[in-house]
Amino acid sequence: MAIHALTSITGSPGVTTTALAWAYLTTRPTLIVEADPTGGSAILAGLWDGAQRHDRSVLDLANYPASEFIDRLWTSTLQLPGLTQRWVLPAIGSGQQSVAMMPVWPALASTLRQIADTGTDVLIDAGRITQADSPWALVDTADTVLVLTRTNLQSLNALAIALPDLRESLTASGTAQRLGVVAVQGGPREFRWWPFGMHDFGVAPYAGREVREVADPTRVVATLPHRARQAAVYSNGLKAGRLHARRSYVRTVRHLIDAAHEHAATSRSIMSLEGDPA
């Protein structure tokens, strides 16, 4: 199994929602680790609709030695509603607690590697990778580092600025081949009344070719459509419609899962070859 780190550069492209949809649509045991240092669990607030108390979190591990993490971690997880072998380790309660997590991340990275090696996929929700207190130790241990981005001009500009530094950092500790981009096409549009009727102020997203040019040489692993109603089935526990399984959002998330596993296998192969003294 593999460790996949999901992150973003700017905006809110749906990192947490994508992690949840992945966990619900995969066929493999999966653990989501909410590692966003800004704090607060979007999963508890959304999927459980606030009914689940935030009485456990990744911060619990700070109370134990690293040798006990593998056992203690599971006592702090929750099973996702309606599923078996799908868990979430909730985020810290607030951003002020992120300082206490700095010595925890490296030891947790080793623990997550053990979990992945014994049959469970790990999805790390790392929040924005550009934050000073980002859980870099977790990102650095991942088999894939998937940067979600919207495809408007502002988001692609931020992506173009940040990707070279990310490639350099990942090369220093393994291989930049782990890095991939997930483009989220479309988004909410803004309509306003104008003297001659209603006008659409939405900005049309850039197409796949432009996104690939901005990301190059980093691979665009998959493209997801912005479908708020379909995504809310996973982020907010909204009831799925009769045709939900056929919708474009579901199909593209399934494609993302397959593409990410392929990307992980490729990056592990490259790291293995680069680590071979022969």
Side-chain angles (χ1 to χ4, degrees), residues 24 79-84 86:
Y24 269 89
Q79 189 157 279
L80 295 180
L83 295 175
T84 59
R86 310 288 194 281

Side-chain angles (χ1 to χ4, degrees), residues 7-15 18 147-150 182 184 224 226:
T7 186
S8 65
I9 303 297
T10 188
S12 301
V15 172
T18 301
V147 179
L148 275 73
T149 181
R150 295 202 183 277
V182 178
V184 181
L224 302 178
H226 176 86

Side-chain angles (χ1 to χ4, degrees), residues 180-200:
V181 170
V182 178
V184 181
Q185 290 275 9
R189 305 186 74 82
E190 181 181 357
F191 295 89
R192 294 180 185 174
W193 283 104
W194 211 243
F196 303 103
M198 185 173 284
H199 185 76
D200 179 2

